[in-house]
Amino acid sequence: MDFPELAARTRRFSHGAPRAVAVAGDGARVIFLRSAGPEDPADALWLLDVDSGEERLVADPAVLLGGTDAEPARLAPGERALRERLRLSSGGIGSYALDSAGRVAAFALAGRLFRADLVHGDVVEVAAVGPVIDPRPDPAGERLAYVTDAADGVRRGQLRVVEPDGTDNLLAGEDSGVTWGLAEHIAAEEFHRYRGYWWAPDGRSVLAARVDESRLERWYLHDPADPASPPTSLAYPVAGGPNAEVSLHLLDLDGGWVDVHWDRETYPYLSSVDWTEGGPLITVLRRSQQHGLVLAVDPRTGETQVHAELADPRWVEPIPGTPAHLPDGRVLVGGELAHDGYDARCLFADGTLLTPPSLYVRRVVGRLPNGPNAAADLLVEASEGEPSQRHLYRVRTTIGGGMDARRMGSDPGWHTASIGGSTLAVGIASLEHAGVRWRVWHGDREVGELRSFAATCSYAPRPTMVRVTDRRLPSAVLYPAEHVKGTRLPVLLDIYGGPGHQEVVAARSVWLERQWWAEQGFAVVTIDNRGTPGIAPSFEKAIHRRVADVILTDQVDALTALADKHPDLDLERVAVRGWSFGGWLAGLAVLRHPELFKCAIVGAPVTDWALYDTAYSERYLGMPDDGMDVYAHHSLVELAAEPLGDPAQARPMLLVHGLADDNVLAAHTLRLSAALLATGRPHAVLPLTGASHLAAGGVSERLLRLELDFLRRYL
C-alpha cells in the first residue's frame, strides 16, 4: 500500500495512537483516548493504572452503543453490521472531562451522556433532555453539567445539571440566538478557549458564559440532507462588523445569580478563564488586542479587581496556562518582555520575573511536587535557542529565589506533558521515531509507556534543517531517497507561514507527506517566515499591518538562499502549495512573483481578509475602517482583478475548497475564481462536497494524485 492510500485510511497515521492524555489529580491513573487499530476511527476511553502499570479499557463505543459483546456469535449478521455502523458513525469518544481527583469521567457519545467510574470501572448512561455537548463532572464527581442544543438545527445552548439522583435541572437557557455554556466562534478559533462554563471548586455554583449572536449576519453553508429542513448556516463575525456579545455569570445550583462586572464595551473579548482554586481569574482584551487585563473575580459579588495589564502596540499574546493562582497567593501571568534589551516570552508572579529571557515559554503545564512546605515549581513547555525543538523545564517560584529554569531530560524533539500529583506523563515526537511516544513516571519510578496501535510509514524522512538569511529563518529541504547529487530537481515550496504555527519542527509526522512529494521527483522546501512562533516576540510581530510583504519577502529570500546552499534546486521550475493561510500565501506568490513561481495549489484560501473573522483579521491588519487600503493590499481578489499585462506571466492555479467549510467559507474561493476568469488567468476549481476546513485539508488519496497531475502538467 503506498503513502496516499495508507495515510488516508489511517488518518495520517493517527488512528490507534494515544491522544488526549491526562493525569488524574491524585496521580493514580493516566487517562487517554485510543482506537482499536490503525484503521479504526472510533476512539475508546482507556486508563493506565500507575501502581500496576497495566492498561484498562474503560469505555468502548461499540459496547455502549450496541450492548455487550459477550456473546458475539449469537448476533445476527444484520445486527452485527448495524452495530458496527453505529460505532463508526459516532466517531467514537471525541473528548472527556474529569473531576478534580480524576476518579470520574464524563463524555458524550452519539449525543448521549455517559459517566465512567475510573476506580471501579462502571460506565453508565445518564438520561439527558437532548443531544449532549461538553459534559463535565463537578469537582467531587457527583453532579454532571452539560450543554444541549435544540433539535430544530438552530444553535441554542441550554446549560443543565444532573443531580446524583438523576434529576435534570435547567441552570440557564434562552430563546434562539443566545447560548449558555458554549464558547463562541472567536473564542474557540482565535483564542483557543474551547469551554463556556466552569465549576466552582466547591461544586456549589457554575461560572457560565452567555453568548448573544443575534447581531451577527448568518452565512449560508450548504443545503441539508433533508429537503424539508432549513439550510445549514453560520453566524459569522466578519472583520469590522459586530461580534457576539459575551458576558459571564455566576449561577448557584439553588437558583441564585450574580453577574460578573467588567467594562465589556472597552474589553469585549473574553480570552481565558481559570477557576481551579480561590476565585476565578479571567483575561479580557480590547477589540484591537493591543491591551488586556487580568482580572480576579469575587464569586460573591461578581466584582473584579485588576491583577495585571497586558500591553503591546501591535498585539498582546497571553501564554496558555496563565493566569493562575500560585499556592503562596500570587498570580502567575504570562506575557512578553520587550524593553531594556529584552525580547522574550516570560512568566511573572505579581510582576516578578520567573523565567530567564533566553527561554521562549510556550505553555504552563501545571505544578511539580516539591515537598509539603516548599514553594511549588512549575512545569512549562519552552524553547531555548532552537525553535524546531520544544522541551520541558522546571521553573522555581520561590519568592526572592531569582530566575531558575532547568531543562528536564536530554532527548531531542518536540515534548509535551500532563501532570497530576506525583505522576508525570511525557509525550515526545522526534525525527528518530514514528508518532508520539508517551512515557509515564511516578516520582523517580518509570511506570511504563502507553501502547500505540498506529500504523507506521515505510520510510523515515530526513529533512536537512538550516537557518538562512540575516533573519535566520528556519527552513528545511527534502530530497528523494535515491537522489543523485548533481541532478537538478523541480522545487515544491510547501508552505503555511501563518501566525501561531510552525512547520519546521523536529517531529517525523510533519515530514511524511512531504517526503512522498519528494519521492515523486521534487526537492521539497519548507520555510518558517517572520510571524511564526518559537524565536522571539519581535520576530512574530514584524508582520503587523504588513503581513503580505514581510511573509512573501521571507519566503522568496529564504528560497533563494537555500538554492545557494543546495545547487540541485532548480529555481526555473518552482511550484508552491498551501492550505488555509498557506493557500492564501500560495495564491499571493504566483500573482506577485510569476517570474519565480510557475504554478500553485491554492487550498481553502482566505481571498479577502475583510470577509474573515474579526479577531484574526483585525489583530494583524487593524480595523478595516482605519485602513481599507491595507485590506485591499492583502486581497487575492483585488490582485487577481488587476489587468494582465503579459499573458505569458499568467500562472495556472488549482483552487481547492471544502463546500462545508465553516472557518474559511467557500465563497472566498468562488470570488477568487470569478476575478481570475474576468482577467483571463488560467485556473481550475476543485470543490470537495461535504468537506469541512480540517477534513478537506487532510490526506485524501484521490486529492493528492490530482494535485500531483497538476504539478507535473505545469512544471
Side-chain angles (χ1 to χ4, degrees), residues 43 58 63 66 80 89 107 112 131 147 167 193 232 275 278 283 302 319 366 383 486 516 520 546 560 684 711:
D43 282 334
V58 177
V63 174
R80 194 176 296 116
S89 65
F107 59 89
R112 294 152 59 182
V147 178
T167 304
R193 175 175 65 79
T232 300
W275 198 6
T283 304
I319 293 176
S383 298
W516 177 82
Q520 310 314 304
R546 54 194 191 114
T560 304
L711 294 184

Side-chain angles (χ1 to χ4, degrees), residues 669-694:
T669 290
L670 299 178
R671 295 179 73 244
L672 175 58
S673 176
L676 293 171
L677 281 171
T679 53
R681 300 175 190 270
H683 69 285
V685 178
L686 180 58
L688 305 177
T689 305
S692 67
H693 190 66
L694 293 178

Side-chain angles (χ1 to χ4, degrees), residues 492-656:
L492 175 59
L493 182 62
D494 196 36
I495 56 175
Y496 181 77
H501 183 78
Q502 291 174 249
E503 289 291 327
V504 183
V505 296
R508 182 178 293 185
S509 61
V510 173
W511 307 104
L512 291 177
E513 183 181 318
R514 292 182 170 123
Q515 185 65 53
W516 177 82
W517 281 106
E519 299 305 326
Q520 310 314 304
F522 299 94
V524 179
V525 172
T526 299
I527 298 158
D528 281 341
N529 43 254
R530 282 174 292 173
T532 57
I535 296 178
S538 63
F539 187 88
E540 293 174 65
K541 297 182 179 182
I543 65 172
H544 189 236
R545 292 179 66 88
R546 54 194 191 114
V547 177
D549 298 338
V550 170
I551 290 180
L552 191 54
T553 295
D554 282 358
Q555 291 285 334
V556 171
D557 289 353
L559 181 58
T560 304
L562 284 170
D564 290 339
K565 296 175 178 291
H566 296 263
D568 287 350
L569 301 186
D570 184 355
L571 295 195
E572 294 299 316
R573 295 181 293 162
V574 180
V576 59
R577 172 182 183 262
W579 190 270
S580 192
F581 188 98
W584 168 77
L585 186 52
L588 188 74
V590 291
L591 289 170
R592 284 201 180 178
H593 288 284
E595 78 288 352
L596 176 60
F597 299 102
K598 300 302 187 286
C599 62
I601 297 171
V602 181
V606 178
T607 60
D608 184 348
W609 292 101
L611 296 179
Y612 196 56
D613 74 46
T614 50
Y616 192 96
S617 294
E618 294 163 11
R619 179 189 303 154
Y620 304 120
L621 300 181
M623 292 292 291
D625 287 347
D626 297 335
M628 279 308 299
D629 57 329
V630 175
Y631 278 77
H633 184 68
H634 288 77
S635 170
L636 295 186
V637 175
E638 295 278 349
L639 198 55
E642 293 179 1
L644 186 59
D646 181 2
Q649 292 293 300
R651 300 307 186 200
M653 296 186 226
L654 176 63
L655 311 183
V656 187

Side-chain angles (χ1 to χ4, degrees), residues 152-212:
D152 58 8
V154 178
R155 188 175 187 269
R156 177 168 65 210
Q158 292 184 350
L159 180 57
R160 307 186 69 91
V161 173
V162 181
E163 298 290 339
D165 64 3
T167 304
D168 191 325
N169 297 319
L170 175 65
L171 198 59
E174 297 182 45
D175 293 333
S176 179
V178 174
T179 66
W180 282 87
L182 292 177
E184 76 279 14
H185 176 88
I186 290 298
E189 187 67 32
E190 308 305 349
F191 298 123
H192 310 295
R193 175 175 65 79
Y194 303 107
R195 298 174 57 177
Y197 71 94
W198 300 262
W199 281 101
D202 62 8
R204 297 179 182 176
S205 60
V206 173
L207 179 63
R210 178 185 183 272
V211 177
D212 183 353

Side-chain angles (χ1 to χ4, degrees), residues 22-71:
V23 180
D26 60 11
R29 290 159 297 282
V30 177
I31 303 95
F32 58 97
L33 298 176
R34 183 180 61 203
S35 68
E39 297 185 23
D40 183 0
D43 282 334
L45 183 65
W46 290 77
L47 68 77
L48 174 79
D49 181 82
V50 171
D51 283 340
S52 67
E54 298 294 325
E55 292 183 0
R56 173 162 59 85
L57 175 62
V58 177
D60 183 349
V63 174
L64 295 178
L65 294 179
T68 179
D69 270 328
E71 299 181 8

